[in-house]
């Protein structure tokens, strides 16, 4: 998920198994960089590299 609309741009990723879980969603939260490493996909290739590095390297679950 990418949010470019607020004062602070932010991004977060989630990877879940395709099965029922009682775990809180925060358990599955991670940086977009980590999700890209796991999946092999570049999710936001069209945003400028400097902004992409800033957004994709960290996440704050509490910001969402």
């Amino acid at each position: 998920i990418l949010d470019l609309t607020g004062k602070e741009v932010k991004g977060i990723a989630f990877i879940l198994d395709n099965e029922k879980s009682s775990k809180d969603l925060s358990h599955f939260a991670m940086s977009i960089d980590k999700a890209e490493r796991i999946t092999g996909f570049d999710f936001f290739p069209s945003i400028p590299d400097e902004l992409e590095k800033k957004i994709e390297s960290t996440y704050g679950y509490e910001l969402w």
Side-chain angles (χ1 to χ4, degrees), residues 7-54:
K7 291 181 181 180
E8 183 178 333
V9 295
K10 60 189 181 227
I12 193 168
F14 300 90
I15 294 183
L16 294 82
D17 291 328
N18 189 19
E19 60 187 30
K20 185 176 179 176
S21 175
S22 61
K23 295 178 182 174
D24 187 77
L25 188 58
S26 63
H27 178 79
F28 304 100
M30 64 187 70
S31 70
I32 295 169
D33 276 343
K34 183 173 181 178
E36 288 178 335
R37 284 192 302 276
I38 292 169
T39 64
F41 292 108
D42 183 4
F43 292 109
F44 303 106
S46 62
I47 63 175
D49 287 339
E50 192 64 33
L51 182 59
E52 185 179 16
K53 287 178 188 175
K54 177 184 175 187

